[in-house]
């Protein structure tokens, strides 16, 4: 029983690390999308990046939220699953539907929120 829970924990850590690594790989693609497709200059790109990185500054609140508000009796597992699903959905939206600067900002903010939430739970 104990070895079974250790392997589940290891799998969840690997998935969170994979999730973070994949999101980091996409940074260059996002930069080119904002620069070339949306036509942003360096100043506006920095503003969007600053707004989208706000969730990394409030990571302790995500830990408190997961501890104080369990979903279906789970404090972490369900949040990790929901963050992963929402993150995948946001990347699909970013790839297929984003055409305006405010859409890109909101989508990148949500992506970073999901990523920071899942890393604090891991």
């Amino acid at each position: 029983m104990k070895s079974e829970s250790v392997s589940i924990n290891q799998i969840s850590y690997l998935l969170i690390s994979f999730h973070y690594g994949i999101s980091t790989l996409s940074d260059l693609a996002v930069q080119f999308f904002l620069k070339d497709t949306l036509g942003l200059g360096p100043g506006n790109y920095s503003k969007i990046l600053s707004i989208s990185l706000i969730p990394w500054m409030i990571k302790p609140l995500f830990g408190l939220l997961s501890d104080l508000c369990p979903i279906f009796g789970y404090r972490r597992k369900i949040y990790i699953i929901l963050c992963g699903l929402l993150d995948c959905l946001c990347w699909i939206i970013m790839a297929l539907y984003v055409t305006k600067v405010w859409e890109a900002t909101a989508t990148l903010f949500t992506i970073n929120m999901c990523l920071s939430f899942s890393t604090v739970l891991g």
Side-chain angles (χ1 to χ4, degrees):
M1 182 82 168
K2 183 156 175 86
S3 65
E4 194 174 304
S5 71
V6 170
S7 65
I8 291 171
N9 286 340
Q10 288 174 344
I11 290 171
S12 66
Y13 296 144
L14 288 173
L15 287 175
I16 290 169
S17 300
F18 179 75
H19 180 213
Y20 181 73
I22 291 297
S23 293
T24 304
L25 284 175
S26 63
D27 286 343
L28 186 60
V30 169
Q31 180 182 357
F32 281 119
F33 174 76
L34 293 174
K35 184 182 72 133
D36 295 341
T37 306
L38 298 182
L40 295 179
N44 289 332
Y45 173 74
S46 294
K47 288 178 191 175
I48 289 176
L49 191 63
S50 298
I51 291 169
S52 69
L53 292 177
I54 289 173
W56 289 98
M57 294 179 237
I58 58 172
K59 276 175 71 170
L61 296 179
F62 296 143
L64 285 173
L65 177 69
S66 69
D67 287 340
L68 296 175
C69 302
I71 299 176
F72 302 120
Y74 295 106
R75 297 187 186 275
R76 289 186 171 77
K77 195 180 301 186
I78 194 78
Y79 283 105
I80 292 172
I81 292 168
L82 290 175
C83 285
L85 292 174
L86 182 60
D87 190 49
C88 289
L89 178 67
C90 285
W91 279 116
I92 292 169
I93 290 171
M94 186 79 172
L96 300 176
Y97 300 111
V98 171
T99 57
K100 295 179 178 73
V101 174
W102 69 268
E103 293 171 344
T105 305
T107 307
L108 288 171
F109 181 86
T110 307
I111 288 168
N112 279 304
M113 184 183 66
C114 292
L115 187 59
S116 64
F117 204 140
S118 64
T119 57
V120 81
L121 295 175

